[in-house]
Each structure stands twice: as structure tokens, then as C-alpha cells.
Amino acid sequence: MASSVGSLEETKKKDWKSYTVKSLAFWVIVAIIAGIIFGTVDPKLAVQAKPGIDWFIQALKWLVGPIIFLTIISGIIGLESLKEVGSIGLKAFIYFEIVSTFALAIGVLFGNFFGPGHGMNFDVNSLDAKSVDKYTHSTQDVGSFWSILKNAIPSDPLTPFLNGNTLQVLVMALVLAILISAFGGKYKPAILKPLEVAQGFFFKILTILMWLSPVASFSAMAFLIGKFGLASLIGMASLLGVMLISVLAFIFGILGIILWFFKINVFKFMRFIAKEVLIVFATSSSESALAPLMKRLEAAGVSRGTTGLVIPTGYSFNLDCTNIYLSLSIIFLSQAFGIPLTLGEELSIILILMVTSKGAVGVTGSGFIVLAGTLSAMGGAIPVVTVAALLGVDKFMSEMRAVGNLCGNAVAAVVVGAWDKQIDMEKFRYALDHPESVEDAIPG
């Protein structure tokens, strides 16, 4: 009996070791550690590793566009009526506005409470204004309706797929899906079949590409440490620490409470999406896990229409932790440069960001553009040039933003799905308790 138990334990250990070595997450962790070490030991050579992450992200952009396009169209066509599309869209919009406002408030509150910029005594005159020219020159239309509309409508149908412009792909897919749903009639099943075949094809390519994510993770971390150094981390440790606390408070506080209302344990949920979280952290790109996240939630019982509509839309309009970054950064800059803000000015930050945070969707460097645009909208209370103080640390903060945005949009899809009765809750709760049960359906 004893030998039988011992044999069983030995088998379990071997299975765990085998799973660990074969696990993509395991090799991503190894790559992160190796990249940090390499960047510290030989910074000059480590900077040359940047093409590894650039090529990986570019390849992902080429794949993410078609996957989102096909998922949205097949998901909407699969719904019973356009009324369901409107219902999901309206609930998603309400959810996005409420939760993103909470995120903005967290940035302001935590910035004031912890005071990461106090005592830094930065001098505006010492900053290089040219270093932020490319961001400040793009702030004129930030937050305007026409700016959003301009970014949403592509100049040609191919460019959004090549550039990975999620918003433009989303708009094209929605228009086409609504037209097919409205006028397709009895031909909808015939249209749906080749779309699903094409979607499966792109997911298979994605599965192969995801096994290169450890290489991308190594390149990203090596470049990051080699380019900016651990010194920049130490110099701005207070801001990074408050950003980390704010993101964790948002995920386990705000999102945890929201999930609790639907009787979902936030810790189980985070374990469920842990692989996607790790890959996003390592690559500093939300795009690296967008398609796998959609597939994971769909495999766990969330309807394809909900995941296909809510998650891509969320990546354009529900970037919660980017909102935390924006509001926290403004409070930090006011403290670091000794520019006190009144309560009214701090409330105006939230109100302005509720608009401007939606205004540079799909624009490269949108975080800095929105930040600069918000400072401009505040009437110059804080000079726009002060954003240059964040250039060195922004890359480190982007990991936290990307992870938080991923978690926020994953929860959004689940909440909207549950709210609109577009989720099999029994299947979903089983998947949370047994995350391995959906692994075969996930790319990578």
C-alpha cells in the first residue's frame, strides 16, 4: 500500500515537471529573468535585441486584425437578432464609462495619498522640450468627436490589418456584420461556415507564433534594462510603486467587487487568465494576448458575440489602467514640479480625462498624446513640457498598464455576458475551478 502511494506521488511529480517544461508560461518566465540579467551585464549589446520584440509585435498585429474581424462578424451573425447586438453594445458602453471613471479617480486619490512626486523639486527650465515635440504637436484634436471619427474610419480597407489598428478593424467588422445580419437572411449559415474555417486557420498560425513569445520576452526585457537601466527604476521608484499599488487596488478592489456581485472569485479569475497576464507583462503589449484571451473566455462559456464585440471595443475605449496612469501622472507632475492643484482642478482632471482618454484611440504614442492634450486642456496650469520627465520611466509603467487593461477587458466581457445572459455560468465556474479544462482551445 505504501509503495503504491509512493508510486502515485512520484508519477504526479513527473507529470508536474513534464507540464512545467512544456508550459509556455514557464519559458516566458525563464526568458524574462535571462533578459533582465543580460540587460544588466551588457547594456550596449542588450539594446541590440530590440528587433526580437519589434518583429514579434508586428507579426501579431498582422494576425490580430483578421482574427478580430472574423470573430466579430461570425459572433454577430451567430446572434439571433441585431437587437442582441444593440443590447450587448449598450451594456458594454455603460460598463466602460462607469469603471473607467473609477480608474481615473483611483489615480487621483492614490497620487494624493502617497505623494510620489513630493520632494523631487524638478525644474521646468531644465527639460528638453524637443524630446516631447512629436507628442505635443498631436494634441490639438485630442478628445474631439472628429478626432475619434477620423481615427475610426480607415483610408483604405487593407491598412488597418497591416498596422493592427483595432478600432478601424472593429468599425469595418461591425458595419459588414450588421449588413449581413440585416440582409443575409437564409444565406447567413452559408456565409458563417467559411468565416469559421478562416478563423480557425488564423488561430493555428497564432498558436505557432505564440511559441516564439519567450524570444520576444527576452528581447523586450533585455532592451528595456539595457536602454533605461536599473538606475531609472530606482530614481522613479516612488512613482512606479504607487502605480503598482493603484493597479493592484483596481484589479483586486474594483474588479474584485464587480465580480463578487456575480458570485465570481477574483483570485480564481486571475488564475484563469494567468498565462495571458504573464505574456502581456513580458512583451509590454496588450495585443500579444488579445486573441488568446477571446478564445479562452469563449471556451469557458462566454458567447462568441460577447467576446468578439466587448473585448476589441474595450481595447479601444476601456483602457482602465491607462486611465490610472494618466490621472496619477498629472498628480505626480504637479508634485514633482511644485505646482499645487486645487480640489476643483483635480476634479476637472477627471472630467477632462473622461473625454480626452477616448480621443487618441489607435494613434501611436497615444498615452503621451492624451497626457499632453489633457495638460493643454487644463489651461497651462501644468506646462505640457513636463511630460518629458516621464519618458525614461514610461516603458516600465507600460507593463502595468498593459496587464491592467487586459484584466479590465476580460472582466468586462464576463460582466456584460452575465448581465445580458450571454454566458453559461455553470460552464464558466467549472472552467475557473479547472482552468486546465480549456487549455486545448487556447493558442500557445
Side-chain angles (χ1 to χ4, degrees), residues 90-131:
L90 177 61
K91 289 179 174 69
F93 175 78
I94 294 170
Y95 177 89
F96 291 164
E97 286 303 313
I98 293 172
V99 177
S100 60
T101 303
F102 273 113
L104 290 171
I106 283 177
V108 172
L109 291 172
F110 279 51
N112 280 310
F113 181 79
F114 290 102
H118 284 310
M120 289 193 166
N121 301 316
F122 288 170
D123 181 8
V124 176
N125 298 318
S126 67
L127 297 174
D128 179 12
K130 292 182 180 179
S131 64

XYZ file of all heavy atoms in Angstrom, residues 90-131:
323
model
N -24.832 48.417 -25.777
C -25.278 49.420 -24.806
C -24.772 49.094 -23.407
O -24.257 49.976 -22.693
C -26.808 49.495 -24.794
C -27.428 50.467 -23.776
C -26.972 51.892 -24.070
C -28.955 50.357 -23.790
N -24.876 47.829 -23.019
C -24.414 47.423 -21.684
C -22.903 47.600 -21.566
O -22.385 48.010 -20.513
C -24.823 45.979 -21.406
C -26.331 45.798 -21.169
C -26.670 44.342 -20.917
C -28.139 44.180 -20.537
N -29.059 44.462 -21.639
N -22.173 47.283 -22.651
C -20.715 47.460 -22.643
C -20.359 48.940 -22.482
O -19.459 49.290 -21.706
C -20.106 46.909 -23.922
N -21.074 49.805 -23.199
C -20.814 51.251 -23.122
C -21.043 51.769 -21.704
O -20.220 52.522 -21.164
C -21.722 51.995 -24.098
C -21.618 53.491 -23.999
C -20.543 54.164 -24.568
C -22.588 54.225 -23.328
C -20.433 55.543 -24.458
C -22.486 55.602 -23.222
C -21.412 56.267 -23.793
N -22.138 51.364 -21.075
C -22.443 51.788 -19.699
C -21.346 51.303 -18.746
O -20.838 52.063 -17.908
C -23.818 51.255 -19.252
C -24.935 51.905 -20.075
C -24.047 51.498 -17.761
C -26.301 51.272 -19.877
N -20.970 50.031 -18.907
C -19.927 49.453 -18.044
C -18.608 50.197 -18.215
O -17.949 50.568 -17.240
C -19.756 47.972 -18.368
C -18.644 47.311 -17.585
C -18.878 46.743 -16.345
C -17.337 47.278 -18.091
C -17.858 46.155 -15.611
C -16.308 46.696 -17.370
C -16.577 46.130 -16.135
O -15.550 45.569 -15.416
N -18.208 50.436 -19.475
C -16.940 51.115 -19.751
C -16.885 52.481 -19.077
O -15.871 52.843 -18.457
C -16.745 51.306 -21.262
C -16.509 50.034 -22.033
C -16.637 50.020 -23.417
C -16.178 48.856 -21.390
C -16.413 48.857 -24.134
C -15.962 47.679 -22.102
C -16.081 47.686 -23.485
N -17.943 53.261 -19.204
C -17.941 54.617 -18.669
C -17.845 54.622 -17.146
O -17.094 55.406 -16.563
C -19.214 55.363 -19.119
C -19.192 55.777 -20.566
C -17.996 56.649 -20.917
O -17.707 57.612 -20.170
O -17.327 56.356 -21.929
N -18.588 53.736 -16.490
C -18.585 53.698 -15.025
C -17.227 53.254 -14.494
O -16.626 53.912 -13.632
C -19.697 52.764 -14.504
C -21.079 53.353 -14.827
C -19.559 52.540 -12.987
C -22.228 52.421 -14.519
N -16.720 52.141 -15.023
C -15.483 51.571 -14.489
C -14.276 52.443 -14.830
O -13.376 52.610 -13.993
C -15.295 50.123 -14.999
C -13.975 49.541 -14.504
C -16.453 49.243 -14.534
N -14.240 53.007 -16.019
C -13.104 53.851 -16.384
C -13.066 55.125 -15.533
O -11.993 55.659 -15.247
C -13.135 54.206 -17.872
O -14.315 54.904 -18.213
N -14.232 55.602 -15.099
C -14.281 56.758 -14.197
C -13.711 56.401 -12.829
O -12.970 57.188 -12.216
C -15.727 57.278 -14.055
O -16.237 57.610 -15.347
C -15.771 58.516 -13.163
N -14.040 55.205 -12.330
C -13.447 54.726 -11.076
C -11.924 54.668 -11.202
O -11.195 55.024 -10.270
C -13.987 53.336 -10.722
C -15.259 53.355 -9.939
C -16.433 52.879 -10.487
C -15.291 53.846 -8.635
C -17.620 52.897 -9.764
C -16.466 53.873 -7.905
C -17.639 53.398 -8.471
N -11.441 54.216 -12.367
C -9.995 54.113 -12.588
C -9.335 55.488 -12.518
O -8.270 55.655 -11.911
C -9.713 53.448 -13.935
N -9.954 56.476 -13.146
C -9.416 57.841 -13.099
C -9.367 58.356 -11.665
O -8.380 58.985 -11.244
C -10.289 58.773 -13.948
C -10.235 58.570 -15.467
C -11.318 59.401 -16.151
C -8.859 58.934 -16.018
N -10.417 58.082 -10.904
C -10.474 58.534 -9.514
C -9.394 57.876 -8.666
O -8.793 58.524 -7.800
C -11.857 58.236 -8.931
N -9.111 56.593 -8.926
C -8.060 55.890 -8.183
C -6.710 56.564 -8.407
O -5.927 56.758 -7.471
C -8.002 54.399 -8.601
C -9.163 53.636 -7.943
C -6.666 53.759 -8.197
C -9.238 52.179 -8.343
N -6.417 56.945 -9.649
C -5.152 57.616 -9.946
C -4.995 58.903 -9.167
O -3.921 59.181 -8.606
N -6.050 59.697 -9.120
C -6.005 60.969 -8.389
C -5.888 60.734 -6.883
O -5.050 61.343 -6.198
C -7.259 61.819 -8.701
C -7.317 63.046 -7.791
C -7.263 62.250 -10.166
N -6.722 59.845 -6.341
C -6.738 59.587 -4.896
C -5.423 59.002 -4.399
O -4.866 59.458 -3.395
C -7.901 58.647 -4.542
C -9.312 59.231 -4.692
C -10.364 58.150 -4.504
C -9.533 60.371 -3.700
N -4.905 58.006 -5.109
C -3.660 57.366 -4.682
C -2.471 58.302 -4.877
O -1.519 58.275 -4.097
C -3.448 56.050 -5.426
C -4.221 54.897 -4.857
C -5.586 55.000 -4.623
C -3.600 53.711 -4.542
C -6.309 53.944 -4.090
C -4.306 52.645 -4.004
C -5.675 52.771 -3.774
N -2.527 59.126 -5.925
C -1.461 60.102 -6.137
C -1.384 61.100 -4.995
O -0.299 61.450 -4.530
N -2.534 61.549 -4.531
C -2.578 62.484 -3.403
C -2.207 61.814 -2.085
O -1.514 62.396 -1.249
C -3.979 63.107 -3.284
C -4.187 64.242 -4.259
O -3.371 65.149 -4.354
N -5.265 64.195 -5.012
N -2.664 60.585 -1.900
C -2.433 59.891 -0.635
C -0.958 59.541 -0.449
O -0.378 59.760 0.617
C -3.292 58.629 -0.562
C -3.146 57.869 0.722
C -3.808 58.291 1.874
C -2.338 56.733 0.801
C -3.666 57.604 3.072
C -2.193 56.034 1.995
C -2.860 56.475 3.132
N -0.333 58.994 -1.495
C 1.062 58.548 -1.377
C 2.074 59.646 -1.730
O 3.236 59.578 -1.322
C 1.305 57.318 -2.255
C 0.618 56.077 -1.764
C -0.550 55.631 -2.363
C 1.126 55.357 -0.691
C -1.200 54.478 -1.913
C 0.490 54.203 -0.226
C -0.681 53.765 -0.842
N 1.654 60.622 -2.524
C 2.543 61.739 -2.870
C 3.864 61.319 -3.481
O 4.929 61.699 -2.973
N 3.873 60.552 -4.598
C 5.146 60.055 -5.151
C 6.076 61.143 -5.667
O 7.276 60.927 -5.787
C 4.688 59.155 -6.313
C 3.334 59.685 -6.688
C 2.717 60.134 -5.409
N 5.543 62.351 -5.959
C 6.392 63.408 -6.504
C 6.888 64.406 -5.483
O 7.727 65.265 -5.807
N 6.417 64.293 -4.255
C 6.830 65.258 -3.222
C 8.334 65.180 -2.947
O 8.901 64.083 -2.828
C 6.062 65.014 -1.925
C 4.646 65.499 -1.980
N 4.295 66.762 -2.399
C 3.467 64.885 -1.664
C 2.988 66.921 -2.343
N 2.456 65.782 -1.910
N 8.982 66.334 -2.879
C 10.396 66.388 -2.538
C 11.333 66.230 -3.710
O 12.556 66.293 -3.541
N 10.811 66.017 -4.938
C 11.691 65.838 -6.100
C 12.214 67.173 -6.620
O 13.302 67.233 -7.181
C 10.949 65.075 -7.199
C 10.733 63.613 -6.861
S 10.202 62.647 -8.298
C 10.451 60.978 -7.665
N 11.421 68.222 -6.507
C 11.848 69.581 -6.874
C 12.426 69.675 -8.286
O 13.512 70.219 -8.504
C 12.885 70.105 -5.858
C 12.325 70.147 -4.446
O 11.200 70.578 -4.229
N 13.115 69.663 -3.486
N 11.718 69.129 -9.254
C 12.143 69.215 -10.655
C 12.012 70.662 -11.135
O 11.146 71.411 -10.679
C 11.282 68.312 -11.536
C 11.552 66.838 -11.365
C 10.698 65.904 -11.944
C 12.635 66.382 -10.658
C 10.932 64.551 -11.799
C 12.888 65.026 -10.500
C 12.027 64.113 -11.082
N 12.865 71.023 -12.100
C 12.846 72.370 -12.666
C 12.361 72.292 -14.118
O 12.954 71.597 -14.939
C 14.248 72.972 -12.615
C 14.287 74.399 -13.166
O 13.203 74.960 -13.433
O 15.393 74.932 -13.325
N 11.276 73.010 -14.415
C 10.724 73.004 -15.781
C 11.755 73.468 -16.797
O 11.836 72.936 -17.913
C 9.468 73.909 -15.859
C 8.944 73.995 -17.286
C 8.379 73.397 -14.938
N 12.575 74.441 -16.434
C 13.550 75.021 -17.373
C 14.670 74.051 -17.757
O 15.379 74.275 -18.736
C 14.169 76.287 -16.773
C 13.125 77.366 -16.527
O 12.253 77.577 -17.356
N 13.211 78.038 -15.378
N 14.831 72.987 -16.976
C 15.914 72.033 -17.259
C 15.494 70.962 -18.266
O 16.307 70.138 -18.683
C 16.360 71.352 -15.961
O 15.319 70.520 -15.449
N 14.226 70.955 -18.659
C 13.711 69.914 -19.546
C 13.981 70.231 -21.005
O 14.012 71.393 -21.415
C 12.202 69.740 -19.339
C 11.760 69.271 -17.946
C 10.239 69.284 -17.851
C 12.287 67.872 -17.644
N 14.138 69.173 -21.797
C 14.348 69.317 -23.236
C 12.989 69.252 -23.935
O 12.393 68.179 -24.071
C 15.258 68.189 -23.742
C 15.490 68.255 -25.244
O 15.142 69.296 -25.852
O 15.984 67.261 -25.817
N 12.488 70.397 -24.366
C 11.163 70.463 -24.981
C 11.092 69.647 -26.276
O 10.037 69.129 -26.640
C 10.791 71.915 -25.256
N 12.229 69.530 -26.977
C 12.237 68.798 -28.246
C 11.942 67.312 -28.066
O 11.465 66.653 -28.981
C 13.592 68.966 -28.940
C 13.856 70.385 -29.424
C 15.190 70.479 -30.140
C 15.443 71.904 -30.631
N 16.764 72.016 -31.321
N 12.226 66.775 -26.864
C 12.027 65.346 -26.621
C 10.557 64.946 -26.642
O 10.234 63.772 -26.794
C 12.653 64.940 -25.282
O 11.996 65.592 -24.205
